[in-house]
Short mmCIF file of all heavy atoms in Angstrom, two decimals:
data_model
loop_
_atom_site.label_atom_id
_atom_site.label_comp_id
_atom_site.label_asym_id
_atom_site.label_seq_id
_atom_site.Cartn_x
_atom_site.Cartn_y
_atom_site.Cartn_z
N CYS A 179 135.51 46.97 128.81
CA CYS A 179 134.25 46.42 129.34
C CYS A 179 133.71 45.32 128.43
O CYS A 179 133.01 44.43 128.90
CB CYS A 179 133.21 47.50 129.54
SG CYS A 179 132.75 48.38 128.04
N ALA A 180 134.06 45.36 127.17
CA ALA A 180 133.60 44.32 126.23
C ALA A 180 134.26 42.98 126.54
O ALA A 180 133.78 41.95 126.07
CB ALA A 180 133.91 44.75 124.80
N GLN A 181 135.30 43.00 127.33
CA GLN A 181 136.03 41.79 127.67
C GLN A 181 135.76 41.34 129.11
O GLN A 181 136.40 40.43 129.62
CB GLN A 181 137.52 42.02 127.51
CG GLN A 181 137.90 42.50 126.12
CD GLN A 181 139.31 43.07 126.09
OE1 GLN A 181 140.15 42.70 126.87
NE2 GLN A 181 139.53 44.01 125.18
N THR A 182 134.82 42.00 129.78
CA THR A 182 134.53 41.68 131.18
C THR A 182 133.06 41.42 131.38
O THR A 182 132.25 41.51 130.44
CB THR A 182 134.98 42.84 132.11
OG1 THR A 182 134.26 44.01 131.72
CG2 THR A 182 136.46 43.10 132.01
N ASP A 183 132.66 41.15 132.61
CA ASP A 183 131.29 40.87 132.96
C ASP A 183 130.41 42.12 132.79
O ASP A 183 130.59 43.09 133.51
CB ASP A 183 131.23 40.37 134.40
CG ASP A 183 129.84 40.02 134.86
OD1 ASP A 183 128.90 39.96 134.04
OD2 ASP A 183 129.67 39.80 136.09
N PRO A 184 129.46 42.08 131.87
CA PRO A 184 128.62 43.28 131.65
C PRO A 184 127.77 43.63 132.84
O PRO A 184 127.40 44.80 133.01
CB PRO A 184 127.75 42.89 130.46
CG PRO A 184 127.82 41.43 130.33
CD PRO A 184 129.12 40.99 130.98
N GLU A 185 127.46 42.69 133.71
CA GLU A 185 126.64 42.99 134.88
C GLU A 185 127.31 43.99 135.82
O GLU A 185 126.64 44.71 136.52
CB GLU A 185 126.28 41.72 135.62
CG GLU A 185 125.27 40.89 134.85
CD GLU A 185 124.78 39.69 135.64
OE1 GLU A 185 124.75 39.76 136.88
OE2 GLU A 185 124.39 38.72 135.00
N ALA A 186 128.65 44.03 135.82
CA ALA A 186 129.37 44.96 136.67
C ALA A 186 129.08 46.40 136.24
O ALA A 186 129.14 47.32 137.08
CB ALA A 186 130.87 44.69 136.61
N PHE A 187 128.78 46.60 134.97
CA PHE A 187 128.57 47.96 134.43
C PHE A 187 127.12 48.41 134.53
O PHE A 187 126.82 49.57 134.27
CB PHE A 187 129.08 48.03 132.99
CG PHE A 187 130.57 47.87 132.93
CD1 PHE A 187 131.14 46.61 132.87
CD2 PHE A 187 131.38 48.98 133.02
CE1 PHE A 187 132.51 46.46 132.86
CE2 PHE A 187 132.75 48.85 133.01
CZ PHE A 187 133.33 47.57 132.94
N PHE A 188 126.25 47.49 134.92
CA PHE A 188 124.82 47.81 135.08
C PHE A 188 124.35 47.21 136.40
O PHE A 188 123.51 46.32 136.42
CB PHE A 188 124.01 47.28 133.90
CG PHE A 188 124.35 47.94 132.60
CD1 PHE A 188 125.33 47.42 131.77
CD2 PHE A 188 123.73 49.13 132.24
CE1 PHE A 188 125.66 48.06 130.57
CE2 PHE A 188 124.06 49.77 131.06
CZ PHE A 188 125.02 49.23 130.23
N PRO A 189 124.89 47.72 137.52
CA PRO A 189 124.51 47.17 138.84
C PRO A 189 123.08 47.49 139.18
O PRO A 189 122.52 48.48 138.67
CB PRO A 189 125.49 47.83 139.78
CG PRO A 189 125.84 49.11 139.11
CD PRO A 189 125.81 48.84 137.63
N ALA A 198 133.45 48.15 138.07
CA ALA A 198 133.30 48.72 136.74
C ALA A 198 134.21 49.95 136.59
O ALA A 198 134.90 50.09 135.58
CB ALA A 198 131.85 49.10 136.49
#
Side-chain angles (χ1 to χ4, degrees):
C179 61
Q181 304 164 28
T182 60
D183 181 10
E185 289 187 27
F187 294 86
F188 295 92

